[in-house]
Structures are given as structure tokens and as C-alpha cells.
Amino acid sequence: MSDADVPDVLVLRKGTHGTPIEQYADALRDRLPDHSVELARTPAEEREAIRTARFTTGMTLEDDLLDVAENIDVFACAYAGTGHLPLDSLEKRGIAVTNASGVHGPNIGEHVIGAILQFTRRFHVGARRQRRREWRHYKAYELHGSTVTIVGLGAIGTAVCKRLEPFGVETIGVRYTPEKGGPTDEVVGFEGDAFDDALARTDYLVLACPLTEMTRGLIDADAFVTMDPETVLVNVARGPVVDTDALVDALRSSWIRGASLDVTDPEPLPESHPLWTFENVQITPHNAGHTPKYYDRLADIVAENVRRFDDGDVDDLENQVLP
């Protein structure tokens, strides 16, 4: 392939959320009219095009594909998480890596608010009685004056906090470096008495943190015992942040009021799993991230980084993860 044939941006073939990857390539072309954007639609096209491409973007980058990428300088990951990438290999080769942080803020923020309001006004109880054609009143709650604890104050946690502002709630944020503060009324760390105290005061616990050694199993049996029995858990992070067995025990023992789970451990949740059977558990199939605007928001970030790359600012890219 001659230099004239090398695309300015190479888009790999894997899409997400059931939306054709062609929409992502088209969104990049709209934002970069003076650049060539190539979509590699087959494995053979990927292997051929990535040999010379300098700026590549996609959901995944497998080792075997990376091995044939001779000139790659930047990989723009189309997911917010990058744990699935061969980061050691990318770092060893000095390849800059960016992610899609911020793309999910509005849609996941709305998902969390919807889950909280469902349990506050107990719409699931109303829906059950409607199916039975049963006109019978039931008790509800009020969100105003509640305490919402948000674990993880990245783009998603910040979006949740912003959308809670009109509801008159107290917010507690949990982050690795609480001294940095945040958009919540109070900020604590992941460990120690302050975190336990936050759990004890929480009405709605929102998990929006990455899965790390520290957060794996963070919400365990001890955490459920510490929570008030009226607490509702909302998990839009990763399934293993919650100890699933402990969650089942907590629901069976009425240690918490309910749970909204967009992620589970294991995932997908087996048909025989007891979590399906609880009337006070809302399960969505890792769907909070779905939005028709995903590729547009992603293209905004990646197109800006293409411009910075053109200007030689390879060490000052938006959402840069490596180096």
C-alpha cells in the first residue's frame, strides 16, 4: 500500500449495542471532511489496512492484529473501559491509547434516575397491580430529603449527581482521592470508617465505579449489614463490584429494600439464577449504556484527537489512557 492509500483514520469492524459500525465511520467523516476515513469491514481488510495505519479506532484490538500493525501511533478505544485491551503490549510499543469516557454520561445518568424513581414511587408495584386489574393503594416513598451515595465520580457519577440536583437530595461521593473533592455534598474514600458511615446513612447506593482490585467485592455481606434496611442498590458499574451471594442473602433477609441491576456476576445472568425471582429486583441486560447518540458523542472525541494528532500533540489527547 502506497502512502497515498494509507487512511488518516482506520475504523475496525466490531460495532456495539447492535448499531452498525458504518454509522461511526460516517460520523467521523462528517467531522473530518478533509481526512480519509476507512472502515475495514472484514478480517482480511483489517489485517491489510492496519499494517500501515497510524491512527486506528475500534472497540477491541486483539494481539494478533496488533502484531501486524507496523506504524500505529494511536488507538482510540471506542469503549470507556480499556481493561480488555493488551495494554502491556501497547505501552511497550509506546502507542497512545484513548477511551470513550464521557460518552455514556447522559444516558446512564437517566437510567440511574429512572431506577431510583421506580423504587421511590414503587412503579413496579403499580405495574403488577395493573396487570391484575387490581385497584388497591400501596405505600410509596419520597426522594426529596434522601441521601444518595455515588461510588465513583468519573463522567458517569458526575452525570448522575448533576441530574439529582433538582430533587433536593443530599449526596455523598466515593472516590480514591477524596481530598480532590467533587460535585457531591460530601466526599469520602473507599476504605475506613468514613465509607462505612456513608453506607449507614444511605437511602440509594449508586455504583458507577470501574472494576479494580479495590472495588471487586466492595459491596459484600458486611456492607449489606451496615446499610439501612430501606436502602436501594443501583449497579451500573460492573457485576463483580457486588458479591452476588451476599446480595441474594441480603434480599432474602430484607437487609435492603431492593436492587436495580444493569450488570451482574455472572453475566449474562443464568436463567436459573435466584435474582430473577425477586419482585424487588429490577434487571436490565447491561443496557444502561445504550443510546442512539453513542457514535456521535464518540466521534466528537475521536475527531478532536485526530486534529491534535495532526498537530503533533500525541501526548495531549483527550481521554488519554496511555502512555
Side-chain angles (χ1 to χ4, degrees), residues 144-217:
H144 181 85
S146 298
T147 297
V148 182
T149 295
I150 305 166
V151 181
L153 293 180
I156 293 172
T158 299
V160 170
C161 186
K162 181 178 180 180
R163 283 156 179 77
L164 282 169
E165 288 177 3
F167 290 96
V169 300
E170 290 293 316
T171 54
I172 303 172
V174 183
R175 68 186 310 173
Y176 292 107
T177 51
E179 60 272 11
K180 289 184 177 180
T184 50
D185 297 310
E186 180 183 343
V187 182
V188 301
F190 279 93
E191 299 177 306
D193 294 340
F195 179 67
D196 291 336
D197 179 64
L199 289 180
R201 292 184 283 135
T202 296
D203 297 296
Y204 297 91
L205 177 64
V206 178
L207 305 180
C209 55
L211 179 63
T212 66
E213 288 187 14
M214 179 173 289
T215 62
R216 184 179 293 275

Side-chain angles (χ1 to χ4, degrees), residues 285-307:
H286 209 140
N287 210 64
H290 185 271
T291 168
K293 297 184 178 181
Y294 187 93
Y295 286 144
D296 286 327
R297 295 189 188 123
L298 175 62
D300 287 339
I301 296 169
V302 174
E304 172 59 27
N305 281 337
V306 170
R307 298 185 192 100

